[in-house]
Amino acid sequence: MNLLLGALNPIALKLGPIEVHWYGVIIASAVVLATFLAVREGTKRRINSDDIYDMILWALPFALIFARAYYVVFEWSYYSQHLDQIIAIWDGGIAIYGSLIGAGLVVLFFCRAKWIPVWLMLDVAGPVVLMAQGIGRWGNFMNQEAFGRITSLQFLQNLHIPHFIVQQMFIDGAYRQPTFLYESLWDILGFILLISLRHRKGLFKQGEVFLSYVIWYSFGRFFIEGMRTDSLMIGNVIRVSQVLSIVLFVGGLSLWAIRRKKSPDNPWYLDGNELNPQKS
């Protein structure tokens, strides 16, 4: 029996002329949870909680600006004709890779200014960012974004996913692959693995939790991106996120191998359980 009831309302709340979108609510919730977990882990690593809060306050606007700019640049054929839509992030259209670039630059400069080892801070941030990405994909779900190729109702039912997901995947007159769900599950699984293993004695050197995040996420994103039909493209031939995923995956593995060859006495190559008192 077909129980299709229509798409879920992307508006969470209306206050007069003001509309609060589920997309924003979900992203904000992910950020709040990630901040809480980052502060908790940072305290264990002897990083001042105020430094983490300050860094996040700087990182958030830059992440948002870069995420939107990244998306707009690769969709310029549309936005060049609709300049008023460039700031309409409440309708979706932000790129995770763009946000990571923006936030990464802030982390680099902030840690240098505060004499905090960059790799140590990245180790704290990596797992919670992966978790936030997994949660954030549900914002795409509410906006009916980040979907895959046309599929059948039977295929979706065979996945044994809740019916509200099935009905939300009815887009433009056809059922779609729930690629948002695939990526969300991949991210959450990676988060669970990283937080379960990161304190195993002798398993990770400083920076390797973060590199594990990069390797894990880019590997999964490459394959999931290949299933999508709304990817950002270069010349309608190359998927931008797949290219960047390859670069990050190879770069992460290479950097891991290079750092493993360094002397354990190198201040950038510690176990990472305590704040490095040396200048970074």
Side-chain angles (χ1 to χ4, degrees):
M1 180 173 61
N2 190 346
L3 299 177
L4 186 64
L5 300 176
L8 299 174
N9 189 348
I11 308 300
L13 180 66
K14 292 188 70 172
L15 300 172
I18 301 175
E19 294 182 340
V20 179
H21 289 239
W22 277 114
Y23 187 90
V25 172
I26 292 171
I27 296 295
S29 300
V31 170
V32 169
L33 180 56
T35 299
F36 169 77
L37 294 177
V39 169
R40 185 176 178 181
E41 176 65 13
T43 301
K44 295 178 181 178
R45 302 295 187 98
R46 300 186 183 180
I47 300 176
N48 191 303
S49 60
D50 287 340
D51 286 334
I52 295 179
Y53 287 126
D54 289 343
M55 185 187 71
I56 292 173
L57 288 175
W58 279 101
L60 285 177
F62 277 89
L64 186 60
I65 292 170
F66 273 73
R68 186 59 171 177
Y70 184 103
Y71 185 86
V72 169
V73 164
F74 290 106
E75 291 285 351
W76 185 243
S77 60
Y78 171 81
Y79 287 104
S80 63
Q81 304 300 317
H82 303 83
L83 297 178
D84 60 316
Q85 293 296 308
I86 289 178
I87 63 171
I89 60 173
W90 47 85
D91 290 328
I94 59 175
I96 288 177
Y97 275 137
S99 67
L100 295 178
I101 292 171
L105 291 173
V106 170
V107 172
L108 177 62
F109 287 107
F110 183 89
C111 289
R112 290 293 185 179
K114 292 288 188 175
W115 301 112
I116 300 172
V118 177
W119 286 112
L120 180 58
M121 184 66 85
L122 289 174
D123 276 346
V124 171
V128 298
V129 169
L130 187 59
M131 176 211 65
Q133 289 173 264
I135 295 174
R137 278 302 177 197
W138 288 87
N140 297 129
F141 166 74
M142 293 302 301
N143 278 355
Q144 293 188 304
E145 303 171 320
F147 52 82
R149 296 184 176 90
I150 292 175
T151 187
S152 66
L153 174 60
Q154 185 63 48
F155 174 85
L156 295 177
Q157 291 175 335
N158 289 342
L159 294 178
H160 301 292
I161 57 179
H163 181 69
F164 75 93
I165 297 179
V166 174
Q167 71 182 32
Q168 190 73 350
M169 287 297 98
F170 191 77
I171 302 169
D172 296 332
Y175 289 99
R176 303 281 181 161
Q177 287 272 3
T179 47
F180 88 92
L181 179 62
Y182 303 156
E183 185 169 333
S184 178
L185 293 175
W186 177 258
D187 293 347
I188 298 300
L189 176 60
F191 165 71
I192 293 172
L193 287 174
L194 286 179
I195 63 171
S196 299
L197 299 175
R198 65 184 173 187
H199 293 305
R200 294 282 182 90
K201 187 173 179 59
L203 182 59
F204 292 114
K205 295 294 185 179
Q206 190 177 104
E208 291 180 352
V209 171
F210 174 75
L211 290 176
S212 297
Y213 152 66
V214 171
I215 293 166
W216 178 274
Y217 177 72
S218 59
F219 180 82
R221 179 64 185 271
F222 175 84
F223 292 102
I224 295 170
E225 189 70 23
M227 302 178 191
R228 290 175 55 172
T229 58
D230 61 344
S231 300
L232 296 176
M233 306 290 289
I234 300 176
N236 294 321
V237 176
I238 303 173
R239 298 174 189 267
V240 178
S241 291
Q242 283 192 312
V243 173
L244 194 50
S245 292
I246 293 173
V247 171
L248 290 174
F249 182 77
V250 174
L253 285 176
S254 300
L255 193 52
W256 185 309
I258 291 171
R259 295 181 75 250
R260 275 282 171 173
K261 293 181 180 180
K262 288 188 175 182
S263 168
D265 296 328
N266 189 306
W268 286 86
Y269 194 59
L270 306 174
D271 286 332
N273 293 318
E274 295 182 352
L275 181 61
N276 181 6
Q278 302 187 45
K279 294 181 179 180
S280 60

